[in-house]
Amino acid sequence: MYPLALRLAGRRVLVVGGGAVATRRVPALLDAEARVVVVAPELTPALRAHVDAGRVEWVAREFAPADLDGAWLVQVAVDDPAAAEAVSAAALDRQIFCVRADDRDAATAWTPAVTRHGPLTVAVLGGGDPRRAVAVRDAIREQLISGTLSGRPAERTGADGSVPDGVTPPGPPERPVGRVALVGAGPGDPELITVRGRRLLAEADVVVADRLVPGLLLDELRPEVELVDATKIPHGPAAAQEEINRVLVDRALAGARVVRLKGGDPYVFGRGGEEALACAAAGIPVTVVPGVTSSVAAPAAAGIPVTHRGVAHEFTVVSGHLPPEHPDSLVDWSALARLRGTLVVLMGLNNLPAIAAALRAHGRPSETPAAVVQEGTTGAQRVVRSTLDEVAAHARAAGIRPPAVVVFGDVVTTLSSALPDRSPAGE
Ligand code: SAH
């Protein structure tokens, strides 16, 4: 075995077969920007979608040896051994490397188990034991995700400055380029951060975290990571935001990889936009990693789909941090009351009596189903089901506290009889 990475951009790669194996292999070929040609009388719907989108060329018939003309690589993905053998033989004739899913001994190239981690690609061959390759790949992936293995230059040299075999010695240290990533941490369950968010967290030098960020995510940080608790920054809210912006900019200018970790999605009532502007104004590269927002996830965790066919064709997310009629409020509560779909209110617990009253006063029926979900997706999740008329009183009687979302609309009861409420303190 001689490991190689193929640079396939713009090069013809033939895939013979249009079934499940081909469906699994084509995406990685497309990711490598190969010119993928599939030869098969029929295709799975997923492959057909690639064809319809113009990403894959389809030759709708059985394989013919001339299909290999101009190909750099062929992937055999047919069930019939005789058909597979015919492709192999034609490829051998033309000295084109041939991957065979059905028979690794007949193949002239093996595909490794792969994991991709940002710019890093890890490929593992199990010496004829694919399950072992997958197990090793998974172990490496887990360590990359958790940050136990970062593979960054500082760690490539031993304590004595020695370089392990096969690793190019690092040149003079690169000039550090700082950057800021605004990362959505998800609604509360630490498993609901995105894969990219978790990777950037594992690579961070500095993490600036919010109150709503799942603690377990911070628990995993390497000891040398500087953790800035944004909730502990003194001064009033406005000054605190300026101070957070200043920390982001300062650390990035000093060359750090900064992760600004925010509950839910960074741009949903999270002031992420202000932080992005502050970084941009200071000339610092800033990226945003979207997060699973509590406005959708907390209802879902309580068995409430924000839309449902035949029940709600819209959902609206609003902030309830200001009461209706407040001079600074940008929310048109009378318009919301006229909508028939789902209304999700964040930061609305304190103003819930006024919000419910405004919706009723402007015409939303008082028997509209309503629910309050506290600490959705976490072990402490609590759910109160009620109606527009009574939800404020019920939430108060149940001792519901922030963070909580309030959901109004028929979707609240759509699944409730079929799905048991699994929340620990579910009412
Ligand atoms: N960016 C966040 C929202 C920030 S505003 C997001 O996309 O989820 C803070 C409000 O979000 C809280 O007052 C509460 O209304 C809601 N919230 C956040 N996490 C929550 C959770 N786990 N359960 C219920 N509501 C939550």
Side-chain angles (χ1 to χ4, degrees), residues 186-188 211-212 262-270 291-295 298 345-348 373-378 402-406:
R211 184 169 41 91
L212 285 177
K262 307 173 77 71
D265 179 274
Y267 283 169
V268 178
F269 306 133
V292 175
T293 174
S294 66
S295 56
V345 183
L346 270 59
M347 298 183 283
V373 186
Q374 173 184 328
E375 291 176 78
T377 78
T378 73
V405 300
V406 188

Side-chain angles (χ1 to χ4, degrees), residues 87-102:
V87 183
S88 277
L92 210 55
D93 248 10
R94 291 167 167 74
Q95 299 185 356
I96 296 169
F97 279 110
C98 174
V99 181
R100 276 184 62 169
D102 61 318

Side-chain angles (χ1 to χ4, degrees), residues 168-266:
T168 317
E174 286 168 39
R175 217 184 95 80
V177 179
R179 57 175 164 76
V180 172
L182 305 176
V183 175
D189 180 338
E191 291 206 311
L192 291 177
I193 189 172
T194 63
V195 174
R196 182 180 298 171
R198 204 167 165 206
R199 172 169 69 76
L200 292 178
L201 200 57
E203 293 171 356
D205 305 306
V206 179
V207 174
V208 184
D210 264 354
R211 184 169 41 91
L212 285 177
V213 159
L216 281 180
L217 289 175
L218 306 177
D219 212 42
E220 289 178 4
L221 296 177
R222 289 168 289 119
E224 65 271 25
V225 174
E226 182 193 2
L227 178 61
V228 181
D229 184 344
T231 56
K232 298 239 171 80
I233 291 177
H235 322 297
Q241 185 61 53
E242 272 174 37
E243 181 63 16
I244 292 168
N245 296 353
R246 199 185 61 73
V247 170
L248 298 177
V249 168
D250 279 3
R251 298 299 192 280
L253 286 177
R257 297 157 195 243
V258 183
V259 164
R260 171 66 169 122
L261 194 60
K262 307 173 77 71
D265 179 274

